[in-house]
Amino acid sequence: MMSSEKGPAEPPDESTPDTDTRTERHSPTTSDRVPPRSESGSVVDRLTTRHAVGVAVILALAAGLFVAPSVYGAVTGPDGTVAVIEIDGAIDSSTAQHVEDNLRDARMNDSIQAVVLEVDSGGGLPAQSERMYAAVDRTASVMPVYAAVDTLGASGAYLAIAPADRIYVAPSAQAVGSVGVAGAAPAPSGPNAGTSGPDKRGSDPDTQRERRQTLANLFIKNVIEQRGEEIELDREAIAHADAYLGTEAVENGFADRFGFVDGAVADAAAEAGIDDYAVDTRRTENRVPRSIPLLQQEDGTVVVDEPEGELNDDLILAVAPETWDETVGEGVVMTSYTGRLPADHTASETGVNDTKLQHAETASTSGGEAA
Amino acid sequence: MSVNARTTVGAFALIFLAVVAVAAVGGVVLDTAPPDTEPVADDHWQLDAVEPETVSEGGEIEMESSEPSNTIVVHLGSSTTGAGGGLPGLPIEDGDAPTEADIGTLGGAQRGVTPLTAALIENGHEVRFYGGIGSGERLQSLLADADAFVTTAPGALSGPDADAVNSFVEAGGRTLVASDPGNAGALTEFGSPFGVYGDAGYVYDMEHNDAGYLSVLVQPPESTPLTEGVEQVVLRGAASVGSADDSAALSTAETSRLSTTRESGSYTVAVRSESLAVVGDSSFLAPENARRADNGVFIGNLADFLVSGDAPDVSFGSPTGPGGGTPPGGGMPPGGPTPPEPPEPPENATA
């Protein structure tokens, strides 16, 4: 800029063009002419250098001030992040997605160097619990993954956290473990002209029984695979599917130590080697039903029809008894063998249950046809 | 001027490329990819590793006896549920409005004993069902003409009916009581005159079972007429029973446990006391289970037991005791069967 300004300034100076002309015409004299030119130019250069230095100082100051906060932040900021991921409520697809997404993010994100799972769940669908199990296992292979259980860390939720490097429980945790599955008792189905095959409505009782046991065995194998060395009970005792108190769980190896989320976060950060850490808490979103179906009854009143959840007793569930009702609803009872249906005077109640079951089956059948 | 522009553009390009190159090289050098994760172990997910052990299925239910026609009275308790434990709350049954696509039902109460009744009828015997005191028929009159009696719900027998069956057994009438868990009180009250009792709770086996801890595998400690040819029977939910002479017909494996005490050991689940045979389970009679393991052989033996020997000489002349009219199931758990009041108890004396 400075030199370009000088350019236009030169033409008014008549001697300069002459000098230039001479220079061009008498090339031998060029050397004589150069020193005066350079002397006259050195004044200009001295001025521009001074200006340039001034501008450079200002620019450097501005740039320094611009960069300084980042540098300060980089020097004083956390060395890494501990992600706290919540596993809460009945386990279905959205729970599994939440945990899977956040664990994937933890693996991809360089700043996250440890994960703590904040657990309060009594389980849910076995396959979704397995999804979380796999995500936790994968994450635990690259960074510390700790789990902290308060009241419930049972059944499907316990399966999900079994691969964690360490399990903390509150001493008053009420259900840790419950390694097993539950569902309706095996029952035959009658002839049905609406199905294309005898097993479309449901397989025979022997097969139902075997499949339930297969799911239970998968669960037990997974727990033994992950915590076989910690758990001091043998396979048969684990398969009893009892849910333990926190104090019992630490004793029998279902959990590693007493503690809560903050302690787990601190320990996970220490394990990851980050003294100065940030905590990034990822909570499950509050579940809002996508739509609330309204039904108008015959008498004109409008009632809210509860949307049917993903969980019902048509499926075999990994749910602790403590949360069975809230998971599949109170209308469906876990049928126990010895609870043979009473005769006569309670038949009416039974009838109600049967009717409900029948409705549920009708719904599931229509779903099956669609599939 | 043209030289200046070229120099300027050149300097710009040089510095620009230098900066980008430094960024690129620095990125390559400094950037670290996310660490490689280890794959999730899945060897233990293969079906071979998790498939439960099961017993074989097949065989026929055959009777060996060539007795002339006998009459067997079969009592099944509740008419709304099938016998054959393990199948409570059948989804479709008589009386329930079937869904539109149904063309039939599961078959109601009698369904649970069809393998036994089919074997009896096939061999020329007569089967008569007794539907309880409210059915219009009287058990005493049925038993007066009967050679044998079968019940899968001793707790559903009313007081007079239980007394009638007691008299029948005392007179030598062969009686089979298949008593599921939950009927310990009723079974004890019914069986005590013959030295037979039932234990509360149920037996389960976490190690050796037929795809479920309730489906215990039981074996005869020694071969008796009831268990001839039987190596292993599957019961879907068995109660422990006992007898005064300690004569076990079937016992569970040592790995089984009693639900009430959780103690492991061999528990007796079937006994025979002269003309009374008691099995702590009725599920083995159900069509789904009758051909599992040696269940069919056992059912055939029971059918032979029911039709063998002389016809009982029974009379129901003695009036009902003071306990008449109340069911013998006083010790039943809540929710157990409660038979209706007998309509006319004094009639018992006249039968």
Side-chain angles (χ1 to χ4, degrees):
Chain A
M1 286 298 283
M2 296 299 280
S3 60
S4 66
E5 280 171 15
K6 283 290 159 193
E10 281 173 349
D13 187 355
E14 290 179 0
S15 66
T16 310
D18 291 344
T19 311
D20 285 347
T21 313
R22 276 180 217 150
T23 307
E24 283 171 15
R25 285 174 190 166
H26 310 283
S27 53
T29 60
T30 305
S31 57
D32 299 331
R33 284 284 168 184
V34 169
R37 183 175 171 248
S38 66
E39 276 173 21
S40 67
S42 70
V43 176
V44 175
D45 281 350
R46 233 174 275 140
L47 286 172
T48 53
T49 302
R50 241 178 254 151
H51 287 156
V53 168
V55 170
V57 167
I58 291 167
L59 280 177
L61 203 59
L65 285 172
F66 182 74
V67 174
S70 313
V71 174
Y72 181 83
V75 171
T76 61
D79 303 331
T81 302
V82 177
V84 174
I85 302 172
E86 189 178 39
I87 301 177
D88 180 48
I91 292 169
D92 56 10
S93 287
S94 63
T95 320
Q97 281 166 359
H98 163 78
V99 173
E100 230 177 25
D101 291 350
N102 283 297
L103 285 175
R104 191 185 307 118
D105 185 42
R107 293 194 300 271
M108 298 296 178
N109 188 335
D110 287 344
S111 70
I112 298 179
Q113 296 184 18
V115 170
V116 170
L117 302 166
E118 184 182 340
V119 184
D120 187 20
S121 167
L125 291 165
Q128 271 75 353
S129 304
E130 254 168 15
R131 276 176 72 175
M132 299 194 290
Y133 165 95
V136 171
D137 192 32
R138 194 173 284 280
T139 310
S141 70
V142 294
M143 67 180 73
V145 178
Y146 291 177
V149 175
D150 38 50
T151 297
L152 297 168
S155 207
Y158 189 75
L159 174 62
I161 63 172
D165 296 310
R166 197 181 287 170
I167 297 177
Y168 293 77
V169 290
S172 294
Q174 290 187 35
V176 180
S178 191
V179 180
V181 296
S189 55
N192 188 315
T195 60
S196 60
D199 294 336
K200 186 63 186 170
R201 187 74 180 271
S203 48
D204 67 276
D206 287 334
T207 309
Q208 291 174 36
R209 192 176 294 110
E210 284 167 32
R211 288 183 181 152
R212 177 191 325 283
Q213 193 59 42
T214 299
L215 291 181
N217 288 349
L218 272 169
F219 193 168
I220 296 164
K221 287 256 182 189
N222 280 331
V223 168
I224 291 176
E225 166 88 10
Q226 297 294 341
R227 295 192 61 85
E229 292 179 6
E230 284 86 1
I231 295 176
E232 292 176 2
L233 308 177
D234 60 12
R235 187 191 184 283
E236 185 188 339
I238 296 171
H240 269 74
D242 200 4
Y244 302 98
L245 297 178
T247 50
E248 295 170 324
V250 170
E251 181 71 21
N252 64 24
F254 270 74
D256 294 299
R257 57 183 72 178
F258 299 119
F260 305 91
V261 173
D262 283 345
V265 167
D267 290 356
E271 179 69 22
I274 42 176
D275 297 332
D276 189 7
Y277 58 88
V279 177
D280 182 1
T281 305
R282 319 276 182 96
R283 299 226 175 270
T284 47
E285 290 169 14
N286 286 330
R287 293 173 194 197
V288 180
R290 284 175 198 151
S291 62
I292 301 175
L294 299 176
L295 296 180
Q296 189 162 21
Q297 290 183 326
E298 286 178 4
D299 60 359
T301 56
V302 174
V303 296
V304 178
D305 182 31
E306 273 191 41
E308 275 203 30
E310 203 174 337
L311 301 163
N312 60 67
D313 79 339
D314 288 339
L315 292 165
I316 296 169
L317 300 173
V319 172
E322 286 81 358
T323 54
W324 181 263
D325 282 353
E326 71 173 55
T327 307
V328 300
E330 292 177 7
V332 184
V333 292
M334 217 191 294
T335 320
S336 73
Y337 178 87
T338 50
R340 174 165 284 243
L341 292 176
D344 301 325
H345 74 288
T346 48
S348 56
E349 293 174 20
T350 309
V352 172
N353 277 337
D354 282 351
T355 313
K356 281 183 184 170
L357 279 171
Q358 196 120 352
H359 286 317
E361 275 172 15
T362 310
S364 66
T365 306
S366 56
E369 283 165 1
Chain B
M1 290 300 285
S2 64
V3 174
N4 285 348
R6 219 177 292 146
T7 309
T8 308
V9 170
F12 173 81
L14 195 66
I15 292 171
F16 176 79
L17 287 175
V19 169
V20 171
V22 166
V25 171
V28 169
V29 172
L30 297 176
D31 183 48
T32 53
D36 289 335
T37 56
E38 288 174 20
V40 177
D42 60 1
D43 291 344
H44 61 288
W45 292 349
Q46 304 298 327
L47 184 59
D48 291 348
V50 292
E51 208 172 23
E53 287 181 19
T54 56
V55 297
S56 61
E57 182 149 11
E60 296 295 321
I61 299 170
E62 290 173 352
M63 292 178 65
E64 289 181 359
S65 81
S66 52
E67 290 279 326
S69 177
N70 278 229
T71 300
I72 297 97
V73 176
V74 179
H75 168 252
L76 301 166
S78 163
S79 62
T80 57
T81 54
L87 311 175
L90 298 179
I92 322 164
E93 287 177 352
D94 283 335
D96 287 339
T99 53
E100 283 180 18
D102 289 340
I103 57 165
T105 67
L106 281 175
Q110 288 83 2
R111 179 184 194 279
V113 292
T114 45
L116 175 65
T117 54
L120 288 168
I121 294 166
E122 193 177 16
N123 285 273
H125 305 286
E126 186 185 350
V127 173
R128 303 182 69 180
F129 286 102
Y130 172 62
I133 204 160
S135 65
E137 281 181 295
R138 292 176 55 248
L139 186 58
Q140 287 91 338
S141 56
L142 283 171
L143 287 179
D145 300 329
D147 299 285
F149 176 73
V150 174
T151 179
T152 58
L157 286 171
S158 68
D161 282 353
D163 290 340
V165 176
N166 265 330
S167 304
F168 183 75
V169 176
E170 273 172 13
R174 275 94 53 197
T175 298
L176 167 64
V177 179
S179 172
D180 289 314
N183 282 324
L187 177 62
T188 300
E189 188 158 354
F190 174 82
S192 67
F194 315 104
V196 174
Y197 63 90
D199 280 328
Y202 59 91
V203 181
Y204 67 92
D205 193 333
M206 302 295 287
E207 288 187 36
H208 301 109
N209 55 51
D210 182 28
Y213 70 109
L214 286 174
S215 296
V216 293
L217 307 176
V218 299
Q219 297 177 327
E222 56 185 0
S223 186
T224 64
L226 271 189
T227 56
E228 193 180 346
V230 173
E231 287 184 9
Q232 197 170 53
V233 168
V234 177
L235 306 178
R236 295 295 181 204
S240 167
V241 299
S243 66
D245 58 0
D246 210 18
S247 62
L250 289 170
S251 302
T252 60
E254 288 288 340
T255 51
S256 66
R257 293 171 190 270
L258 187 63
S259 66
T260 48
T261 62
R262 299 294 169 100
E263 279 184 21
S264 63
S266 177
Y267 292 92
T268 301
V269 292
V271 295
R272 181 181 168 185
S273 173
E274 295 180 355
S275 63
L276 175 67
V278 173
V279 183
D281 171 80
S282 68
S283 70
F284 70 99
L285 294 168
E288 278 77 15
N289 304 320
R291 285 175 174 76
R292 209 78 181 163
D294 296 328
N295 286 15
V297 181
F298 184 50
I299 293 171
N301 291 346
L302 286 172
D304 283 330
F305 157 74
L306 288 172
V307 300
S308 60
D310 299 328
D313 180 19
V314 63
S315 68
F316 297 101
S318 61
T320 308
T326 58
M332 281 190 310
T338 305
E341 289 295 312
E344 293 170 16
E347 279 190 17
N348 292 330
T350 64

